[in-house]
């Protein structure tokens, strides 16, 4: 493997998404010379033969596997077949093809929804598969768990240096602001902004407002991903084992959805009524990550939630027609 500052030829799968684009930005800022990307039109990661042919012809050293079908609670709940199938296809094709092509290091990105619906808080990595999953995103979570387990299986069978990072709820530039399919933070930014513009007196927030979520800015996630992949093989694998090899990535604190709504109302200047819609699901009551493994490996987040929300609001205003 090239030295930590030099990851060789790097492929970022999913570079048009929020996480992949943040990783590409960071790699370029840090002077990484060879960052390879492919749009979906150029390379459909759900097509096994195409992915294999791509890897066979590229001499790639390092892979960031940030390509995935993602969405908020409603999309996960309504399209479970899409979420499980596309994610299993993408990650299986990339991991297997990377192995065949001799890729030296890979980082698989998952999600904190891999943990049981009810788990001791904060959730440490070894809470994985200790209880039933949250129903609204079970299909997505099962695919992500399979990704972790694939990386571990390749480690055990072939000695592959395939690592996994499990981020908490992420937000930031290039997020999806579509009200039906997005996550809560971008959805509320857009809803409150539209209410201010239209002079509406109330905004509907799904569920009870009581669930708690931990939010991490995607630039922090990109920094953590680059940090984790740059660790020497010895350092990474001495912090984990090949039956529990993933690392949580979070900020260490959470807020209730009601608190988040208040913060977003204040950032957008909304002074009307916040109404809760109990017909929409709450999802997991709480999913705060234990980030002590990551901290022990020398990484800490830098972007406080208030600042991150304000910056993301500015990004949305510049990039969305009604923003
Ligand atoms: O962000 P979110 O969709 O996903 O919802 P999860 C978080 C909480 O915010 C839920 C509430 O309790 C929602 O009911 N919420 C309130 C809203 N208003 C809204 C709104 O306008 N839009 C949305 N989307 N939520 C997802 C999983 O779970 O998180 C995925 O489905 C993935 O698998 C992702 O893990 C990170 O945190 O509940």
């Amino acid at each position: 493997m090239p030295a930590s500052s030099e990851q060789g030829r790097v492929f970022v799968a999913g570079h048009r998404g929020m996480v992949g684009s943040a990783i590409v930005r960071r790699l370029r800022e840090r002077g990484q010379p060879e960052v390879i990307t492919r749009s979906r039109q150029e390379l459909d990661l759900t097509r096994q033969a195409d992915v294999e042919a791509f890897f066979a012809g590229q001499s790639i050293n390092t892979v960031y596997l940030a390509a995935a079908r993602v969405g908020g609670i409603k999309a996960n709940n309504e399209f479970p077949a899409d979420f499980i199938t596309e994610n299993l296809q993408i990650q299986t094709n990339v991991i297997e093809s990377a192995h065949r092509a001799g890729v030296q290091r890979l980082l698989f990105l998952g999600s904190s929804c891999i943990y049981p619906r009810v788990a001791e808080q904060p959730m440490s990595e070894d809470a994985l598969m200790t209880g039933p999953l949250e129903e609204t995103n079970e299909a997505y979570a099962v695919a992500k768990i399979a990704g972790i387990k694939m990386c571990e299986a390749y480690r055990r069978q072939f000695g592959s240096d395939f690592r996994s990072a499990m981020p908490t709820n992420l937000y930031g530039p290039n997020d999806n602001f579509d009200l039906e399919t997005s996550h809560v933070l971008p959805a509320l930014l857009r809803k409150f902004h539209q209410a201010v513009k239209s002079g509406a007196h109330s905004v509907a927030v799904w569920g009870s407002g009581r669930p708690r979520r931990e939010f991490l800015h995607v630039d922090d996630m990109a920094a953590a991903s680059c940090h984790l992949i740059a660790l020497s093989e010895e350092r990474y694998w001495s912090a984990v084992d090949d039956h529990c090899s993933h690392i949580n990535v979070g900020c260490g604190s959470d807020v209730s959805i009601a608190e988040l709504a208040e913060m977003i109302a204040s950032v957008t200047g909304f002074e009307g009524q916040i109404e809760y819609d109990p017909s929409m699901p709450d999802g997991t009551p709480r999913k705060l990550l234990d980030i002590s493994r990551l901290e022990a490996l020398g990484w800490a987040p830098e972007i406080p939630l208030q600042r991150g929300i304000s910056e993301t609001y500015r990004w949305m205003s510049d990039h969305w027609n009604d923003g």
Side-chain angles (χ1 to χ4, degrees):
M1 183 71 198
S4 57
S5 57
E6 234 286 4
Q7 299 173 22
R9 281 170 65 75
V10 176
F11 175 48
V12 179
H15 75 289
R16 292 248 167 103
M18 176 172 67
V19 180
S21 61
I23 290 173
V24 169
R25 269 199 309 280
R26 185 165 181 99
L27 288 169
R28 296 214 163 115
E29 275 164 24
R30 302 281 151 134
Q32 175 64 38
E34 293 183 277
V35 181
I36 299 157
T37 59
R38 288 290 181 274
S39 67
R40 190 171 302 183
Q41 290 69 36
E42 292 165 334
L43 175 63
D44 182 345
L45 295 173
T46 66
R47 307 230 164 244
Q48 185 186 5
D50 296 355
V51 178
E52 246 182 70
F54 165 74
F55 272 93
Q58 285 292 334
S59 306
I60 289 163
N61 303 100
T62 306
V63 173
Y64 291 83
L65 180 34
R69 166 104 182 201
V70 299
I73 193 166
K74 186 168 188 277
N76 269 271
N77 206 20
E78 289 180 0
F79 308 111
D82 295 348
F83 277 84
I84 194 164
T85 305
E86 276 182 46
N87 285 308
L88 284 173
Q89 285 172 330
I90 292 169
Q91 67 204 35
T92 303
N93 293 341
V94 172
I95 293 169
E96 165 65 4
S97 300
H99 161 69
R100 283 185 186 218
V103 164
Q104 285 120 313
R105 193 168 290 172
L106 176 147
L107 184 70
F108 170 67
L109 301 182
S111 161
S112 61
C113 69
I114 57 164
Y115 293 113
R117 173 186 160 78
V118 181
E120 195 180 314
Q121 307 285 320
M123 303 183 295
S124 70
E125 286 83 356
D126 53 23
L128 186 63
M129 300 203 300
T130 56
L133 296 164
E134 156 63 25
E135 274 179 19
T136 53
N137 57 35
E138 188 184 66
Y140 177 76
V142 164
K144 290 297 183 183
I145 293 169
I148 300 172
K149 293 296 159 193
M150 256 187 99
C151 291
E152 288 172 1
Y154 279 71
R155 175 88 189 158
R156 290 204 298 279
Q157 191 172 333
F158 304 112
S160 310
D161 190 358
F162 290 177
R163 313 172 178 189
S164 301
M166 293 303 119
T168 184
N169 289 38
L170 303 172
Y171 70 96
N174 289 321
D175 207 342
N176 169 21
F177 290 83
D178 174 87
L179 294 180
E180 290 294 300
T181 56
S182 64
H183 291 98
V184 61
L185 196 152
L188 294 189
L189 273 176
R190 192 152 173 235
K191 280 185 187 174
F192 281 97
H193 177 75
Q194 284 177 340
V196 170
K197 279 199 117 181
S198 68
H201 297 296
S202 68
V203 165
V205 173
W206 295 351
S208 66
R210 284 192 298 272
R212 299 186 69 81
R213 293 291 183 271
E214 176 186 13
F215 295 99
L216 184 75
H217 193 281
V218 72
D219 287 347
D220 271 338
M221 179 59 202
S225 302
C226 293
H227 181 83
L228 285 173
I229 224 163
L231 293 170
S232 70
E233 189 164 358
E234 192 191 357
R235 181 115 197 261
Y236 185 89
W237 291 97
S238 63
V240 299
D241 70 63
D242 61 11
H243 289 272
C244 183
S245 68
H246 58 290
I247 306 265
N248 289 341
V249 183
C251 66
S253 64
D254 60 3
V255 294
S256 71
I257 297 303
E259 286 164 343
L260 178 74
E262 295 290 348
M263 288 174 88
I264 292 181
S266 142
V267 166
T268 55
F270 176 76
E271 289 176 348
Q273 197 71 22
I274 299 175
E275 287 172 358
Y276 291 92
D277 175 359
S279 71
M280 296 302 283
D282 269 347
T284 312
R286 193 177 185 200
K287 43 179 171 176
L288 178 64
L289 291 176
D290 178 344
I291 53 166
S292 44
R293 248 188 196 184
L294 181 63
E295 285 174 335
L297 286 167
W299 187 84
E302 285 181 357
I303 305 173
L305 183 56
Q306 186 72 47
R307 190 181 109 204
I309 290 176
S310 300
E311 288 175 6
T312 305
Y313 182 42
R314 274 199 296 281
W315 189 93
M316 183 193 81
S317 307
D318 291 343
H319 292 84
W320 280 72
N321 282 343
D322 62 351

